[in-house]
């Protein structure tokens, strides 16, 4: 009941009989009514207070949530706009709903371009670039990264920008037709991948195809070869190129290799395929030519070009090349066989003295098999110590006695028997085994000489490879220390070729050895074209003259030969160097050399090389008056 109606009801009830209102009675009615509803008012007040409190709390929560939402929104914007990748979201109508700053940067779009509601077509029209044709083709043909249902909702797009950048987009299509795209600049990654692919197939120094790529090219050429077509493969190797790296440095060697490449490239022409197979190895594939005439002309051009000196500053570097040639189909119809046979021919060219070219022949294969077997046996011989040293006397003509011995290696093969040094020493040098063999010879010769009288020296031959591929000074020092042999009793013999190949590297080593008291001898003096210049480069203790048999015979009866011998002996005397003549086989030769006051002789007239256990016997023999008598033959 409304308050007005209730009040009028109470007033009516308070009217007296005479029609007046009894004020006391009305007051009682009002108070009674109030008391009836007093509890309700209290409840209402309490509820109102509760509502006010809850409303205050709710307002506080709403304010906190609003602040948190604002913070999350700011965080989201910070993350979105600092992503290294571009992000764009399009609705089902292909209208832009969200994008970040990186998206705009990648596609050169302005803030106005990327307003909400912009269509993909609008944005594409404003991009400074075009979609990759290959990416379009993949989308049209439905070829994606995977065939799974999930990947069918993934699209890859690539954009080639006008400034050369490559932008890749990964588009995820949602079930309602909207899509989310991630965009990345893959320019550097793509270039790095292309560079890796290039390096995997090309030589970084010369830019030529490498061995892998060359094989692929040979494979393709042989596959496409017509039945009547011949294909030539030339395997080239620079002779003794390692000495350039050793004496002039690898950086100089690299520059010379680049010059070599340009000369070979010019000789081969664009119609032939040129590749670099290794450090100083090249290969040329010549197809569609009449063989062997055209490949012969090719190798002649190459040899002519490479025969001209290479210049590095003021230095002139001379090179030579060995070449092996195989022609398909006669020498092989498969890449492996053709390459192998060209390599076999190259090995024969080098074995024949280098500076050669050889065509493959079937008998070469059998010879290479024998060579490989000999190499395997030689490697085993080093480990099994199948070698021994024989010693040939050095005879002092003025004192008429043996003054030393030259150590000469012998190989006693368990099956082949005695293998001549001329058969295995060149091979040992070629494959690098001469370092281990030479180290063994030094140790054994010093140990043997330590058992001889103090005035008897030992001469050891040293290969050029030992100067370039080992620490010769250390090897000699260790051999002398282990045997307690005086350095003055050791004589190292080197040939002129050692100086020709490594002069700047060899001379410091020779000086270091000489400073320790070791004697240095030039072997085979006079066989080179510039021996006199090398005599002035280093103060040798001795020069050894290896006389051709016909020349030795002639020194007795031929005036010119006698004059040459006389001049060399005088030269040695003038330079303060002892002169040893090798190959003396007759008493007449001995008498003539004694008359010419030659210092030492060596040869079969004195004694052939003998095993180490014969040395004491040789030293015990006394020469008779009137000259040295030939010593008895060795008993084996």
């Amino acid at each position: 009941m409304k308050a007005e109606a209730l009040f009028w009801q109470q007033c009516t009830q308070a009217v007296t009989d005479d029609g007046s209102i009894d004020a006391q009675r009305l007051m009682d009615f009002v108070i009674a009514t109030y008391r009836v509803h007093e509890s309700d008012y209290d409840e209402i007040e309490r509820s109102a207070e509760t509502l006010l409190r809850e409303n205050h709390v709710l307002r506080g929560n709403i304010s906190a949530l609003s602040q948190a939402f604002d913070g999350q929104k700011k965080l989201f914007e910070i993350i979105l706009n600092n992503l290294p990748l571009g992000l764009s979201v399009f609705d089902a109508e292909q209208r832009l709903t969200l994008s970040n700053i990186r998206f705009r940067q990648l596609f050169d779009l302005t803030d106005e371009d990327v307003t909400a509601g912009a269509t993909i077509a609008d944005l594409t029209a404003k991009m400074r670039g075009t979609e990759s044709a290959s990416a379009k083709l993949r989308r049209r043909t439905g070829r994606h990264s995977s065939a799974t249902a999930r990947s069918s909702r993934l699209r890859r797009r690539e954009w080639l920008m006008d400034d050369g950048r490559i932008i890749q987009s990964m588009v995820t299509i949602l079930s309602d037709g909207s899509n989310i795209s991630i965009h990345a600049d893959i320019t550097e990654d793509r270039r790095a991948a292309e560079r890796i692919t290039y390096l995997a197939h090309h030589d970084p120094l010369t830019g030529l195809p490498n061995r892998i790529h060359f094989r692929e090219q040979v494979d393709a050429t042989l596959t496409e070869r017509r039945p009547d077509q011949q294909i030539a493969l030339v395997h080239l190797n620079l002779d003794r190129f390692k000495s350039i790296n050793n004496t002039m440095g690898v950086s100089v060697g690299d520059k010379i290799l680049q010059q070599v490449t340009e000369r070979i490239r010019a000789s081969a022409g664009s119609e032939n395929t040129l590749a670099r197979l290794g450090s100083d190895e090249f290969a040329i594939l010549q197809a569609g030519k009449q063989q062997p005439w055209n490949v012969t002309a090719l190798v002649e051009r190459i040899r002519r070009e490479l025969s001209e000196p290479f210049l590095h500053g003021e230095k002139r570097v001379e090179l030579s090349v060995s070449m092996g040639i195989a022609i398909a189909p006669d020498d092989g119809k498969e890449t492996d066989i053709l390459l192998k046979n060209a390599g076999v021919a190259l090995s024969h060219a080098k074995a024949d003295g280098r500076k050669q070219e050889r065509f493959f022949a079937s008998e070469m294969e059998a010879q290479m098999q024998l060579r490989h077997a000999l190499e395997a046996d030689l490697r085993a011989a080093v480990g099994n110590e199948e070698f021994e040293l024989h010693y040939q006397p050095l005879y002092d003509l003025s004192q008429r006695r043996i003054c030393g011995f030259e150590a000469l290696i012998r190989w006693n093969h368990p099956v082949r028997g005695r293998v001549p040094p001329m058969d295995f020493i060149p091979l040992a040098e070629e494959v690098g085994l001469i370092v281990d063999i030479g180290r063994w010879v030094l140790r054994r010769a010093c140990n043997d000489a330590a058992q001889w009288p103090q005035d008897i020296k030992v001469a050891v031959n040293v290969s050029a490879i030992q100067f370039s591929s080992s620490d010769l000074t250390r090897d000699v020092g260790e051999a002398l220390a282990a045997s307690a042999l005086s350095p003055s009793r050791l004589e190292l013999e080197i040939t002129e070729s050692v100086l020709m190949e490594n002069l700047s590297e060899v001379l410091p080593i020779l000086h270091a050895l000489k400073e320790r008291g070791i004697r240095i001898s030039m072997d085979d003096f006079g066989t080179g074209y510039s021996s006199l210049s090398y005599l002035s480069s280093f103060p040798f203790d001795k020069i050894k003259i290896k006389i051709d048999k016909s020349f030795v015979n002639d020194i007795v009866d031929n005036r010119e030969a006698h004059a040459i011998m006389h001049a060399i002996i005088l030269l040695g005397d003038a330079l303060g160097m002892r002169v040893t003549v090798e190959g003396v086989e007759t008493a007449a030769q001995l008498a003539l050399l004694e008359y010419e006051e030659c210092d030492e002789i060596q040869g079969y007239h004195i004694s052939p090389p003998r095993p180490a256990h014969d040395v004491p016997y040789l030293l015990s023999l006394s020469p008779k008056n009137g000259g040295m008598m030939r010593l008895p033959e060795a008993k084996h």
Side-chain angles (χ1 to χ4, degrees), residues 344-360:
V344 169
L346 173 62
S347 296
H348 278 265
K350 296 181 79 67
D352 290 344
R354 297 181 172 86
K355 302 182 182 181
Q356 309 283 336
E357 61 268 356
R358 291 288 182 269
F359 283 86
F360 175 76

Side-chain angles (χ1 to χ4, degrees), residues 260-548:
V260 168
T261 299
E262 291 309 310
R263 292 194 191 182
I264 298 178
R265 195 199 307 271
S267 300
S270 59
E271 67 275 13
N272 297 317
T273 301
L274 172 63
R276 185 186 181 200
L277 304 185
S279 173
D280 56 356
E281 291 184 69
F282 298 83
I284 299 174
L285 187 66
Q286 187 183 57
K289 299 289 186 178
Q290 187 66 34
Q291 302 300 353
W293 298 276
N294 283 285
V295 73
T296 299
L298 171 62
V299 299
E300 288 176 354
R301 288 198 302 272
I302 293 171
R303 188 173 300 287
R304 187 166 55 252
E305 284 292 327
L306 296 185
S307 65
E308 294 294 324
F310 293 84
L311 299 179
H312 177 68
E314 297 180 354
K315 293 184 178 180
R316 292 163 56 93
V317 179
E318 296 187 357
L319 289 177
S320 63
V321 62
S322 299
M323 292 178 271
I325 307 164
I327 299 177
D330 292 344
D331 298 336
K333 299 179 181 179
E334 299 176 3
T335 300
D336 287 340
I337 295 176
L338 198 64
L339 283 168
K340 177 178 70 69
N341 289 342
V344 169
L346 173 62
S347 296
H348 278 265
K350 296 181 79 67
D352 290 344
R354 297 181 172 86
K355 302 182 182 181
Q356 309 283 336
E357 61 268 356
R358 291 288 182 269
F359 283 86
F360 175 76
S362 56
E363 58 269 20
M364 288 182 175
E365 181 68 18
Q367 294 174 17
M368 284 301 298
Q369 294 293 339
L370 293 175
R371 181 188 181 280
H372 288 155
L374 183 63
E375 179 182 340
D377 288 351
L378 188 57
R379 292 184 183 279
V382 173
N384 298 334
E385 294 195 1
E386 296 173 6
F387 302 109
E388 66 172 319
L389 293 184
H390 283 202
Y391 294 94
Q392 187 170 31
L394 297 166
Y395 187 74
D396 188 311
L397 285 175
S398 63
Q399 297 183 18
R400 293 193 177 186
R401 70 179 186 90
I402 293 174
C403 59
F405 292 89
E406 180 181 4
L408 301 169
I409 191 170
R410 297 292 184 262
W411 180 13
N412 298 313
H413 191 279
V415 176
R416 301 173 186 264
R418 178 66 59 82
V419 181
M422 67 180 65
D423 289 349
F424 72 86
I425 292 296
L427 177 60
E429 290 183 325
E430 185 176 340
V431 300
L433 289 174
I434 196 65
V435 172
D436 291 332
I437 293 174
R439 193 175 290 126
W440 178 87
V441 170
L442 274 170
R443 290 198 304 265
R444 179 55 58 87
C446 289
N447 284 335
D448 288 344
Q451 312 303 317
W452 305 340
Q454 292 294 320
D455 58 347
I456 302 298
K457 64 189 175 185
V458 63
V460 177
N461 293 281
V462 181
S463 167
I465 310 298
Q466 290 175 263
F467 282 89
S468 60
S469 300
S470 69
D471 188 339
L472 182 61
T473 305
R474 184 187 64 188
D475 292 343
V476 171
E478 290 178 352
L480 290 173
S483 61
L485 185 72
S486 170
S488 62
R489 295 180 58 197
L490 176 62
E491 185 174 284
L492 299 180
E493 297 186 0
I494 66 170
T495 60
E496 184 182 351
S497 63
V498 174
L499 297 173
M500 289 176 63
E501 292 183 25
N502 306 291
L503 183 61
S504 61
E505 181 181 359
V506 169
L507 286 181
I509 298 175
L510 292 180
H511 280 291
L513 292 169
K514 190 172 177 64
E515 287 173 2
R516 296 190 58 178
I518 298 164
R519 300 171 60 84
I520 308 296
S521 168
M522 178 183 278
D523 198 8
D524 295 351
F525 174 74
T527 60
Y529 70 91
S530 57
S531 296
L532 291 178
S533 66
Y534 290 123
L535 286 183
S536 64
S537 300
F538 182 80
F540 290 93
D541 296 288
K542 183 172 75 175
I543 54 177
K544 292 186 71 175
I545 307 171
K546 188 177 184 66
I547 307 175
D548 182 81

